[in-house]
Amino acid sequence: MKKISRFSLAFCLSLFFGMTALQANNTLPNPITTSTTTAPTVDPKIQEMTQRLEQIQAMDKSQLTAKERKALRKEVRHIKKAVGGGVYISAGVLIVALILLLILT
């Protein structure tokens, strides 16, 4: 029991200090940058996809047939999948990983 409490305390502290270190790195100015800043360049394909999403959201979908609405939904899912591209960890996987860490230590 003592081992588990020490491990959980160390884990929580490392998370806390790790997050504060990340936040501190984000707030520091970059010493290499000059006074002239440029806007970040966005891939033209991604920009085109986001514009298409905005067009779909602005559409009046009440006059569309069921097949057309279904095609729009598929297109929106495809665009969001292509643009999103993030890595997500579900709560279940996180819990299983923590339990495995506790068991293996």
Side-chain angles (χ1 to χ4, degrees), residues 1 4 13 15-17 22 35 37 39 44 51 57 63 65 77-79 84 89:
M1 190 66 178
I4 292 173
L13 287 174
L15 277 178
F16 175 74
F17 288 116
L22 286 175
S35 61
T37 58
Q51 287 176 352
Q57 289 175 351
Q63 297 175 355
T65 64
R77 284 186 202 131
H78 174 70
I79 291 173
I89 299 175

Side-chain angles (χ1 to χ4, degrees), residues 84-90:
V87 176
Y88 299 100
I89 299 175
S90 68

Side-chain angles (χ1 to χ4, degrees), residues 4 6 8 18 33 37-39 47 55 59 71 89 95-96 105:
I4 292 173
R6 286 183 182 171
S8 61
T33 59
T37 58
T38 59
Q47 190 175 14
Q55 288 175 354
M59 289 175 103
I89 299 175
I95 291 172
V96 169
T105 56

Side-chain angles (χ1 to χ4, degrees), residues 7-27:
F7 177 75
S8 61
L9 178 64
F11 180 73
C12 290
L13 287 174
S14 65
L15 277 178
F16 175 74
F17 288 116
M19 291 297 178
T20 55
L22 286 175
Q23 289 175 352
N25 286 341
N26 289 340
T27 58

Side-chain angles (χ1 to χ4, degrees), residues 46-76:
I46 293 176
Q47 190 175 14
E48 182 180 326
M49 287 181 186
T50 54
Q51 287 176 352
R52 177 65 181 147
L53 278 177
E54 291 171 0
Q55 288 175 354
I56 292 173
Q57 289 175 351
M59 289 175 103
D60 181 24
K61 298 175 194 82
S62 62
Q63 297 175 355
L64 298 177
T65 64
K67 289 183 181 181
E68 291 171 338
R69 284 193 301 260
K70 188 174 182 179
L72 278 177
R73 280 195 302 270
K74 283 185 180 181
E75 185 179 357
V76 167

